[in-house]
Structures are given as structure tokens and as C-alpha cells.
Amino acid sequence: MKVCIAEKPSVAKDIATVIGAKVKKDGYYEGNGYQVTWTFGHFCTLKEPHDYTTQWKYWRLEDLPMIPPQFGIKLIDNEGVKRQFGIIEKLVSSCEEVINCGDAGQEGELIQRWVLLKAKCKVPVKRLWISSLTENAIREGFEKLKEGEKYNLLYAAGSARAIGDWLLGMNATRLFTKKFAQQKTVLSIGRVQTPTLAMLVQRQKEIDAFNMEVYWELKTLYRETEFTANIERIKTEEKANKGLDYLKQNDFEITSFERKEGKEGNPRLFDLTALQVEANKKYGYSAEDTLKYVQSLYEKKYVTYPRVDTTYLSEDLHPKIPGILSSMKFYERLITPILAQPIPMSKSVFDDKKVTDHHAIIPTEVLPTGIYAAEEKRVYDLIAKRFIAVFYPECKVANTTVLGMVGQVEFKATGKQILEPGWKLVYANDAKKEKDKDEEKLMPEFEVGEKGPHDPKVHQGKTTPPKAYTEATLLRAMETAGKQVDNEEMRELLKENGIGRPSTRANIIETLFKRKYIEKRKKNIYPTQTGIDLIDCIENDLLKSPELTGVWERKLRQIEKGEYDPAVFKEELVKMVVDLTFEVKNSQFRRIEVVEKAPDPVKPKAKKQVKEKVSPEDLDCPKCKSHKLLTGKTAYGCGNFKDCGFKLPFMVYGKKLTNGQVQDLLEKGKTRKLKGLVSASGEVKDAKLVFTDMFDIGLE
């Protein structure tokens, strides 16, 4: 018997169906020579301080640093975990082979290895390594099972990361809490959490230190084109007005007219961070929520593995791309032009050297007919359109620079014109809603030497402070260890030194919110006074410097590649913790308190907000998602009913649907519980109306 261990029950069920283990047992599936069981998240964790010695049960400065002679693991204290682990342990003890079907990444490897270690697994272990959960991917994965030992370095890196986080987090949190905290206050310190907070505090200090300055610029209008004086900003209004008087005495003369044709490269495919950034910028979704939505899409088999940090595809995927594009029926209009030509083997898309465990996030060949949540639809749409856009031609533009003189003062104007939209056609509908800010008004043709009257003016402006971080810009800063980088190539190079991993950054930001070290106002994130005080009391740069923390992160990646010794990494961490303990114990004493927000004054009870009602004809067909609904004599139907076939009767189970109930069905896939529905058998019941997989109406 071969035992397969999946990362969660739903994945175990998918695997069991494909490999023929169809008999449901208590905690596993069985059949065809396989037993398929599962974990659900972390079953094991590193032992806590008090598990090593009772002396470490108490938080005392004199007991620090805590350096266990050897790290051990233990089961999480949870009845459900203990019960399921007992089933795994029993299956593993009597099988001939284990197939590790855990999440195909560092964290997934660590979860499974710890479970097998705790279960005292002594049989050979194979590894299922797949990038999507489609039936084809699972079947192909089982045909090409890897040797478990191939992923020993991945496990070593995950283990080193966990030990590093324990050594620094356990020691530094107790150290700073006992040295600086008010009674019953805990000051949480983390290897990634603290430098992330430090970036926010540094930005806040730059904002606080900023002094706004007023300045004046000279501008002029010539042939309906605005030019700006190519001189330093003017500090006084008096000097600006003198300049204006001078300009009025002279004609405007064109001295240079240059139009260069260029290209705007296609956007990159999404890695997790880029997807979180885009979803935050476009829809305001938090990093944690975006991860939740894309993880759900992955588990529904609609997109590939999401916890990735590459924007490239492996070269062996190239032959499969036409098939994936052909399956994306909801985007047929956009895809048809691509499939008219062979898909190019572009290095900006396909590059084995840029792909490690997994490739970028792309759609699978499974048609996404079961997405009811609007948030998931939007995230899928981002992924689908980005996938399509990378195979479109580049966008061709003309960049124009015009120079002119008024007397001795030089003026400049620039403009951009899109000649061939290329990949921007994919986003044409989005551009209508939000006009392309980069594209300026088309400039007239100018001839060098032409001159004439113009309309000069003085423009008053003021300097602006540095911008507060949003989740989007904070994620980018974590990815590049605090460096402001817009160039995609440079960003790829800096990922090695980024702080945290794509899959953990969202959780780090949420932890800072929960600790009350940061707060959100509208879209912006600010450090609280507690967060500022905590960073101010940390003198050790290794704890709060994004660059230095990025070096530690790079070493973890090198361990994964076999280029760095985990034992050396542990020794370096131990030395850091010992030095830090000595430094803090002998530092100046200063109390820090977590400041709770003052309670809001009692407000009169607000009126309950009424959901805005929408006419069914304003809503998209839930089946094809590309046409609006039309109202017929007895039902609503898709505007493309001939091809799509979707219809929704006015009367369902003996009840006439209201516009609100229709809206709920179309947007959420279900209504609230309705009373007095009459089933096909004549039974009267209270139930929710839901869409089936075939978009018929069922009861729940």
C-alpha cells in the first residue's frame, strides 16, 4: 500500500479521485493500492522554550539568551490535529511507500517533513510536485513522481528559516519586553516584522521632518501647447513677476523639435507580490485578502500555484500555451488575434534560468464557471488579462520633445502619442474608465526657427512631502529591501535580497496591525507611537535594517540552492542573538507602552444602509460573463442566448423573484433563505436558491 499525504482534505479528495482511491474511510481515502490522507496546515511546530527547561518558562532577563543545544519539534496542542495525526501515523507505520503530496513550496515541504519525522517514517518517500490541481496536472505528476531526497535542500532552508525565526523572535521579544516594556505589555520583535516596521517609521520621520516650500514657475502657451521654463524654481513671487514682464517683451521661437518612435514593453506575468500590488492599486484589496482569493482560485483549479516569486514561465510550457489560450472562452475576442500566429518563444516570458520551483501565476485550461464571489472574479480577470497581454505585440509610441526660447529663457514641452496600441488593446475597456494618464495631448508639428506671439504666465506651486506607504508600495519595498525600483529587470535582480517571502509578506503586515504597531487611514499605512518608540529603542542595525535583513534572506535562498551551509547560518544567528542580548542588557533604560486607541465618542445610531438595487439588465450574464441580460416574456436571458443558453425564469419554485433576489443570484450565486418554496415533489420548504454547475436553479 502507498500512502499519499496531501496538504488539506479538498486536495486529498482531488488526488484520490484521479488515482482511483474512491472508498471513503475515517480520515483517508482508499483504493487501487493507495491510501490518501491529509494534514490541515501546520501539525508540528518547534518546541517552545519551556519544553527544553522549566527555567525558560518564566520571562527573566538573566535567563537570556535561550539557545537550545538541539532543536526539537512537537505536535500542536489541538484535538483535531492529534486525531488526524494518529491516523497518518498508523497508515505510515504499515505502508511500503509514502508519497508527499504537500503544497509544492518551502513551507509545504516543511509541514510534511515534520509530520513524517514525528510519525517516525522509515519507508521510502516520493514527492508529487505540481503547479496546478487540474486532473491532467495531478495525473501527469503521478506519472513523474520525484525522489523525496531531491527536496532535501528545500527542507533544509525551511528548517533554517524556522530556527532563525525562533532564535531571534523568542529571544529578542523577551529581551525588549523585559528591558523596555510597561507591565503586561509585550514588545514583539521578528526577523522580517521589525525591519518592515522600521521602513514605515523611517518614512514617517521623513514626512514629519518635511518643510513645505512655495515656489514659482514661468510657463507660456504657444500654438495651444504649454511650455515650462527650463530654469531652477523661483523662490520669490517678486522675481517671478519680473521674469513675466521680460517674457511679455519677446516672441516665442522654436529651437528644437524632436520626435522619436519607441516601444513600451509588455507587462510581466504575475508573481504573488505583483498580483497583490495590482489588486491593492486597482481594487484596494489587502495583501492578505488577495492571497486568500488567489489561493481559492488555485484550489478550484482555475489558476496555477500562487505562492511564487518569479514572473517567468519554464520553456517546456511553450507548446501548451495555445491550448490554454484556446480554453479561455470568456476572452475569445482578445485571444483570436494571438492564435492567428505561432506563439513566440520570447525570453521575457520563457526562461528556465529564471524559474525555480514554480513558474509565474497563469490561468489553467479549466473554464472558470464556478466563480461567484466578485473579488475572485476580479483577481482571475487580472491574471487572465496579464497572461493574454504578454503575447500581444509591443505598444509603439512617439515621444516628442520641443525646445523654445523667449529672449534668453529656454522653454520645454514634451508629449507622447500612441501609434500602435499593441498589448494595451487588452486593457482598452479599463482605459475608458480610467484614462491613460501617461498619454498627453497630441502636439502640433513645429518647425525650427518659427516664432510668434505667446501667452506667458506665472504658476505657483509647493513642494510635497514623501508619500506614506500603501500596502502596494510597502510590498514592493519589502521585495526590494527598501530600494525604490521601477525597472522590472532591476526588480528581478533585487528579489534575492528582498525581506520575507511572497507567501509570508501579507501575514507580516497583518501581524503589525494586530500588534498595534501600524494603522491604516484610508489607503495609507502609518506607524503608531508604539511602533515608533519600539524602533527608536532598537540600536542594532541587524534587527531593523531592510538591507541587512535582505542579506539573511539571500543566505536562506542560497541554502535552498546548496550554496550555503545551514550550520553556518545557525552559528551566525546564535552569535547575533548573544551579541544583541549583551548590547540591550547594557543599554539605556526606557519604558514603552502599547497605546490603545481612545474609544470613539458615542454617536447616534446610523440608519441601516440599504443595498443599491440594480436592474437585472445592468448585470452581466453569470455563465458567459461577456453579455448583459435581456428581459423576455417569462425569463431573463443572456444577450447572446443563441450561443450561451443562459436563462433565469421570473417564477422559481412557486415564487416570483424580486430584483434584489435576482441581483443576489447573479452576483453571489445564491439568495438569502426564502420562505415557502415549493419543490418538484410538492414539498413546501424554506431554502436558499443557488446556481448549479450547469447554471440551473437548485435549493440549498
Side-chain angles (χ1 to χ4, degrees), residues 7-122:
E7 74 226 37
K8 57 176 64 178
S10 60
V11 177
K13 186 177 181 182
D14 289 338
I15 290 171
T17 302
V18 171
I19 63 177
K22 296 180 180 177
V23 181
K24 181 78 168 72
K25 301 273 187 170
D26 184 17
Y28 64 100
Y29 297 90
E30 186 172 280
N32 199 27
Y34 291 99
Q35 292 168 326
V36 184
T37 186
W38 57 84
T39 58
F40 31 86
H42 281 271
F43 270 22
C44 297
T45 183
L46 287 174
K47 287 181 178 178
E48 294 174 76
H50 63 262
D51 294 317
Y52 296 102
T53 169
T54 53
Q55 187 178 341
W56 288 349
K57 186 176 181 179
Y58 308 99
W59 288 40
R60 294 187 295 231
L61 271 177
E62 57 266 32
D63 292 333
L64 300 176
M66 302 177 292
I67 314 289
Q70 189 172 352
F71 280 87
I73 58 170
K74 66 175 185 177
L75 267 183
I76 286 172
D77 189 15
N78 175 283
E79 287 306 314
V81 166
K82 289 176 182 175
R83 184 177 180 281
Q84 185 64 18
F85 175 77
I87 293 167
I88 294 171
E89 190 175 34
K90 184 179 176 183
L91 295 177
V92 167
S93 68
S94 57
C95 71
E96 63 187 43
E97 181 180 277
V98 167
I99 301 173
N100 176 354
C101 303
D103 203 5
Q106 192 185 100
E107 197 72 8
E109 190 69 18
L110 188 68
I111 289 171
Q112 297 285 338
R113 292 286 189 113
W114 278 355
V115 165
L116 291 173
L117 190 65
K118 192 69 181 168
K120 297 183 175 64
C121 175
K122 292 182 172 61

Side-chain angles (χ1 to χ4, degrees), residues 79-251:
E79 287 306 314
V81 166
K82 289 176 182 175
R83 184 177 180 281
Q84 185 64 18
F85 175 77
I87 293 167
I88 294 171
E89 190 175 34
K90 184 179 176 183
L91 295 177
V92 167
S93 68
S94 57
C95 71
E96 63 187 43
E97 181 180 277
V98 167
I99 301 173
N100 176 354
C101 303
D103 203 5
Q106 192 185 100
E107 197 72 8
E109 190 69 18
L110 188 68
I111 289 171
Q112 297 285 338
R113 292 286 189 113
W114 278 355
V115 165
L116 291 173
L117 190 65
K118 192 69 181 168
K120 297 183 175 64
C121 175
K122 292 182 172 61
V123 297
V125 177
K126 293 282 177 68
R127 185 59 158 109
L128 175 71
W129 194 269
I130 52 179
S131 287
S132 76
L133 294 174
T134 64
E135 184 179 328
N136 286 341
I138 293 170
R139 184 169 284 112
E140 193 175 313
F142 268 87
E143 289 169 1
K144 299 176 182 177
L145 288 173
K146 316 286 186 185
E147 292 298 328
E149 291 179 355
K150 182 183 174 185
Y151 299 94
N152 284 352
L153 289 174
L154 188 68
Y155 169 58
S159 181
R161 180 183 295 278
I163 288 170
D165 288 343
W166 192 102
L167 279 169
L168 193 59
M170 290 289 186
N171 282 288
T173 296
R174 291 190 179 197
L175 184 63
F176 280 85
T177 297
K178 295 311 293 180
K179 182 72 177 180
F180 299 111
Q182 297 275 30
Q183 196 174 12
K184 293 185 179 180
T185 297
V186 174
L187 297 178
S188 175
I189 305 287
R191 185 179 56 84
V192 180
Q193 168 190 314
T194 304
T196 302
L197 175 60
M199 287 194 294
L200 288 155
V201 170
Q202 177 61 29
R203 178 61 55 86
Q204 187 59 47
K205 288 186 174 181
E206 290 168 4
I207 293 170
D208 293 342
F210 174 78
N211 288 317
M212 189 269 288
E213 293 180 2
V214 176
Y215 63 87
W216 288 263
E217 290 178 310
L218 296 175
K219 293 180 179 285
T220 192
L221 196 66
Y222 175 68
R223 286 183 57 191
E224 297 185 353
T225 301
E226 186 175 78
F227 290 78
T228 301
N230 213 5
I231 58 175
E232 287 186 9
R233 286 173 172 173
I234 302 168
K235 302 295 184 183
T236 67
E237 188 174 10
E238 183 184 2
K239 192 174 179 182
N241 286 328
K242 282 183 180 177
L244 181 63
D245 291 338
Y246 174 77
L247 296 178
K248 288 177 178 177
Q249 296 167 24
N250 296 277
D251 277 350

Side-chain angles (χ1 to χ4, degrees), residues 218 229-231 246-247 404-411:
L218 296 175
N230 213 5
I231 58 175
Y246 174 77
L247 296 178
M405 295 289 287
V406 179
Q408 298 301 309
V409 182
E410 185 179 65
F411 281 80

Side-chain angles (χ1 to χ4, degrees), residues 276 287-288 291 502-514:
Q276 288 169 319
E288 187 178 46
L291 177 55
S503 56
T504 60
R505 287 175 191 143
N507 183 253
I508 293 294
I509 295 170
E510 289 304 314
T511 298
L512 290 171
F513 279 121
K514 287 172 187 170

Side-chain angles (χ1 to χ4, degrees), residues 261-264 393-398 417-423:
E261 289 193 9
K263 293 178 179 178
E264 283 190 21
E394 289 179 306
C395 171
K396 291 184 180 178
V397 297
Q417 179 189 6
I418 292 179
L419 303 176
E420 293 178 23
W423 61 266

Side-chain angles (χ1 to χ4, degrees), residues 503-561:
S503 56
T504 60
R505 287 175 191 143
N507 183 253
I508 293 294
I509 295 170
E510 289 304 314
T511 298
L512 290 171
F513 279 121
K514 287 172 187 170
R515 301 281 185 198
K516 297 187 172 62
Y517 295 159
I518 63 174
E519 61 187 6
K520 188 180 282 188
R521 296 179 223 147
K522 295 185 178 177
K523 274 193 174 185
N524 293 336
I525 300 173
Y526 300 91
T528 62
Q529 191 57 50
T530 303
I532 294 169
D533 288 347
L534 177 56
I535 294 302
D536 284 347
C537 80
I538 298 173
E539 296 174 358
N540 189 299
D541 275 345
L542 269 172
L543 271 186
K544 61 182 181 181
S545 162
E547 290 86 355
L548 291 173
T549 306
V551 172
W552 291 104
E553 198 68 43
R554 188 177 77 235
K555 288 177 179 177
L556 284 164
R557 291 170 189 265
Q558 287 174 324
I559 291 171
E560 197 172 309
K561 296 173 186 175

